[in-house]
Amino acid sequence: MRHGNLLTSKQLTRDDVERVLDRAGSLASDPESVADSHEGRLLGLLFFEPSTRTKMSFETAIKRLGGDVVDMGSVESSSVKKGESLADTVRVIEGYADAIVLRHPQQGAAKLASEYVDVPVINAGDGAGHHPTQTLLDLYTIREQAGLDDLTIGIVGDLKYGRTVHSLAYALGNFDATQHFISPESLRLPREVVFDLHQEGASLKEHESIDEVLSELDVLYVTRIQRERFPDENEYRAVAGEYQLTAETLERARDDLTVMHPLPRVDEISPDVDDTPHAAYFEQAHNGVPVRMALLDLLLGDGDE
Ligand code: NCD
C-alpha cells in the first residue's frame, strides 16, 4: 500500500489494516462526510472473471466518494477477445482512469499489471493467488463480530485454490490468531503458504473434519469449492459437497460463533443457517462498501494520511 498498489495481503502491516478498518468504521457511521471528496476521479474496472460483489461494491464505493467508473465490460466484448495482452490493456486504461481494479484468472496478473503502469493497481483476485480487498472486509467483519485479538478461527473448504483463504491466512498472521484449516486432503492449504505462516510464527493446525474443532471456534469461515480452477471435472466431483454446514451442525458450536463466507455459496452453507444468529455472510458482503471506500480514499491520495 505504501507504493500505491494493493497486490497481496502479505504487504499489509497491522498498521495498514487498522488504518483501513478504522477509516471504514467512521465512513460506515457517517458516509456523507466524504460524499464529494473524490469528485471527478475515475476507477478503471478490468474483470476478466465473473464477479458480483467485488465489482459492484467497488463501483458503489467510488460513486459514494463522488467519483465514477470506466468499465472494460466482459472479456467477450473487449479487445482481449482480439488477442490483446494484459500489459497493453492496462497501459491503455492507465490513460483513462486514476486507479485500476483488476480481476484475472492468472496468478500474479495484478503484480504484472502494476509493472506496466504508474496508477495504483488493486488486485481484485488473481487466479488461485490472492484477494486482499476481500481480506480487508473479512477482517472488518471479524473485528465487529468477534474481535481480532486472541481469535480462534476455523477456515473450511477449498484451501488449495481459494484465494480469499490465502489472503486471509497471511493477514491474520499480523494478529494473535489461532487458525484451524479444515479440508479434504486434496484441497489442503498450499505448502508454501503453510511454510510462510510457520516462518511468521503463526499458530495453525490442519484438520479433515469440522467437528474436531467446531466447539472451540469464535469464527468459522466457509468457502466454496473453486470448480473453475480444477484441471479435471472428476477431481471436482470427488470433493464437491464434502462439507455442508447446517443449522443442526451448529448446535454443537458455541452460541456466539460467527459464520462467514466470501460468497457466492453453492451448497456449503444450507439456507437454514441464514436465520440463525450465527450467520454474518450477508453483512460481510455489505461491509465491502465502507471498506473499499476507505481503501480508495487512502490509495487515491485524499485520505487522512
Ligand atoms: C470470491 C472470489 O472471487 O475469490 N468471491 C468474492 O470475491 N466474494 C470467492 C469465490 O468465488 O468463491
Side-chain angles (χ1 to χ4, degrees):
M1 244 175 36
R2 282 185 296 277
H3 307 291
N5 298 312
L6 179 54
L7 304 176
T8 83
S9 68
K10 287 190 212 179
Q11 76 186 84
L12 295 173
T13 63
R14 184 175 174 136
D15 270 3
D16 289 332
V17 171
E18 284 174 346
R19 193 168 339 119
V20 176
L21 268 45
D22 290 347
R23 185 101 183 104
S26 55
L27 292 178
S29 56
D30 187 12
E32 287 307 308
S33 63
V34 284
D36 297 317
S37 61
H38 293 275
E39 202 175 338
R41 309 304 288 277
L42 289 175
L43 199 56
L45 301 181
L46 274 74
F47 280 71
F48 291 75
E49 280 191 337
S51 174
T52 305
R53 275 150 291 274
T54 304
K55 188 170 167 179
M56 290 186 73
S57 64
F58 263 114
E59 183 162 354
T60 308
I62 189 72
K63 288 183 173 171
R64 290 216 183 283
L65 293 169
D68 208 338
V69 295
V70 280
D71 183 354
M72 181 184 82
S74 74
V75 166
E76 290 301 305
S77 65
S78 74
S79 281
V80 176
K81 196 72 190 156
K82 300 180 188 168
E84 185 169 52
S85 70
L86 178 62
D88 281 2
T89 305
V90 293
R91 275 182 287 193
V92 172
I93 308 301
E94 174 182 34
Y96 307 154
D98 299 296
I100 289 175
V101 179
L102 175 68
R103 170 169 290 188
H104 197 279
Q106 199 73 40
Q107 200 164 329
K111 180 164 190 313
L112 179 100
S114 73
E115 284 159 12
Y116 285 90
V117 298
D118 290 326
V119 297
V121 173
I122 302 172
N123 182 5
D126 60 326
H130 281 264
H131 193 347
T133 68
Q134 177 70 41
T135 293
L136 288 169
L137 75 93
D138 292 343
L139 294 174
Y140 182 89
T141 308
I142 294 170
R143 190 166 84 165
E144 295 258 290
Q145 300 281 333
L148 277 164
D149 290 314
D150 294 324
L151 177 76
T152 302
I153 185 170
I155 304 181
V156 61
D158 188 343
L159 312 182
K160 179 179 181 182
Y161 296 116
R163 55 197 175 197
T164 67
V165 172
H166 307 155
S167 282
L168 183 59
Y170 279 108
L172 284 171
N174 285 316
F175 300 88
D176 292 328
T178 302
Q179 304 191 61
H180 293 281
F181 294 101
I182 308 144
S183 72
E185 168 78 28
S186 62
L187 295 181
R188 285 164 78 195
L189 204 58
R191 294 303 90 185
E192 71 266 20
V193 178
V194 174
F195 178 83
D196 289 349
L197 293 178
H198 279 306
Q199 290 281 314
E200 283 176 8
S203 164
L204 67 100
K205 284 199 184 123
E206 296 180 278
H207 312 265
E208 286 194 34
S209 147
I210 296 183
D211 276 331
E212 286 172 33
V213 285
L214 184 61
S215 62
E216 296 170 33
L217 303 178
D218 300 307
V219 172
L220 180 61
Y221 188 94
V222 184
T223 63
R224 177 179 69 87
I225 309 289
Q226 306 283 297
R227 181 177 199 158
E228 65 277 28
R229 312 246 179 261
F230 280 68
D232 174 358
E233 179 73 16
N234 288 326
E235 276 180 45
Y236 167 74
R237 281 208 214 94
V239 285
E242 182 106 352
Y243 301 102
Q244 202 200 24
L245 195 68
T246 64
E248 197 198 329
T249 326
L250 290 174
E251 282 166 16
R252 300 191 287 280
R254 289 209 335 236
D255 288 347
D256 62 354
L257 171 77
T258 298
V259 176
M260 295 173 58
H261 191 305
L263 302 177
R265 72 172 147 182
V266 182
D267 55 8
E268 55 282 350
I269 299 181
S270 138
D272 67 6
V273 176
D274 300 358
D275 298 327
T276 70
H278 301 290
Y281 27 91
F282 291 112
E283 193 179 329
Q284 181 186 354
H286 296 160
N287 289 338
V289 173
V291 169
R292 290 183 169 113
M293 283 173 76
L295 179 70
L296 291 172
D297 195 29
L298 294 168
L299 283 182
L300 291 173
D302 299 340
D304 61 357
E305 282 193 289

